[in-house]
């Protein structure tokens, strides 16, 4: 009984996570953050270009980069201040809080532009990686098949995924997504479930092992007795 409660809670948490992950609002937020990071990186490298030209050929030109430099440096200074307030200890971001304004105040705009440009680039790469990871997760949850094969007596019958119920025995072959949470009752397979559990290597599964919806069957063929289907997964 206790295990059933745990399983149900885990299923609900995973369902809530999927809904949150694939919501248009969440996707829009991630895209907006990536676009903002790209904007800051573009402005930062434009400022770096201006300060470089000014340093080499016409020093007064360096002053033109100051508004852009302050604009792109502000997020890192603010992040350092927020981090200092929250953690009350020295971290990499709190060092930015001190170093960037210090370099700007000394008038070394080239060094400040170079530092901010590199920080902006790393931040943009990070946001791009987060965006692609989010899209990968969305794709995984969007690849559930419209129809599945279910064992009925001595035969296999294709039915809509929406008609799958707890107790049904599904046939899943290599290359297919597992359509519902369940337990393997026949066969062995290699299952890629790292997008759900974080495991670095595919898991070898056999009779009696639990499998999760939206994990990928890499090799083998299994019969899976459904434990949770539909909104319960």
């Amino acid at each position: 009984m206790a295990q059933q409660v745990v399983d149900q809670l885990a299923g609900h948490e995973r369902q809530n996570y999927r809904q949150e992950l694939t919501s248009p609002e969440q996707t829009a937020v991630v895209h907006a953050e990536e676009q903002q990071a790209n904007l800051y990186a573009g402005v930062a490298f434009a400022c770096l270009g201006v300060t470089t030209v000014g340093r080499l050929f016409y020093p007064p030109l360096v002053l033109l980069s100051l508004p852009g430099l302050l604009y792109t440096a502000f997020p890192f200074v603010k992040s350092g201040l927020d981090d200092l307030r929250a953690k009350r200890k020295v971290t990499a971001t709190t060092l930015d809080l001190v170093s960037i304004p210090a370099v700007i105040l000394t008038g070394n705009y080239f060094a400040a532009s170079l530092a901010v440009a590199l920080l902006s680039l790393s931040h943009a790469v990070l946001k791009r990686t987060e965006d692609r990871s989010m899209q990968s997760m969305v794709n995984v949850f969007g690849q559930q098949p419209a129809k599945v094969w279910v064992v009925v007596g001595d035969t296999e019958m294709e039915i809509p995924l929406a008609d799958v119920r707890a107790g049904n025995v599904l046939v899943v072959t290599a290359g297919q997504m597992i359509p519902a949470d369940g337990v393997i009752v026949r066969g062995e397979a290699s299952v890629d479930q790292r997008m759900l559990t974080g495991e670095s290597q595919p898991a070898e599964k056999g009779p009696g092992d639990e499998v999760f919806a939206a994990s990928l069957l890499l090799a083998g063929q299994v019969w899976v007795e459904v434990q949770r289907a539909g909104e319960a997964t």
Side-chain angles (χ1 to χ4, degrees), residues 1 16 31 45 53 83 86 92 96 121 131 161 172 174 208 229:
M1 181 65 181
N16 292 337
H31 284 313
F45 274 92
V53 173
D83 205 31
D96 296 335
L121 177 61
D131 191 12
L161 177 61
V172 187

Side-chain angles (χ1 to χ4, degrees), residues 175-215:
Q176 294 181 337
M177 303 294 293
I178 296 175
D181 294 346
V183 174
I184 296 176
V185 295
R186 176 176 171 180
E188 296 181 347
S190 177
V191 181
D192 182 356
Q193 54 190 27
R194 64 179 183 273
M195 298 298 288
L196 299 175
T197 64
E199 298 178 38
S200 59
Q201 299 294 330
E204 300 300 323
K205 301 282 188 176
D209 291 333
E210 186 176 13
V211 291
F212 303 106
S215 48

Side-chain angles (χ1 to χ4, degrees), residues 143-148 158-163:
Q143 290 173 355
Q144 292 288 60
K147 294 185 177 182
V148 297
E158 190 176 32
I159 65 172
L161 177 61
D163 293 343

Side-chain angles (χ1 to χ4, degrees), residues 132-150:
R132 298 303 176 269
S133 298
M134 174 72 72
Q135 191 59 50
S136 296
M137 292 290 289
V138 171
N139 290 340
V140 165
F141 289 125
Q143 290 173 355
Q144 292 288 60
K147 294 185 177 182
V148 297
W149 289 93
V150 60

Side-chain angles (χ1 to χ4, degrees), residues 6-17:
V6 171
D7 291 342
Q8 290 175 356
L9 289 174
H12 291 157
E13 289 176 358
R14 192 162 66 255
Q15 176 66 19
N16 292 337
Y17 177 66

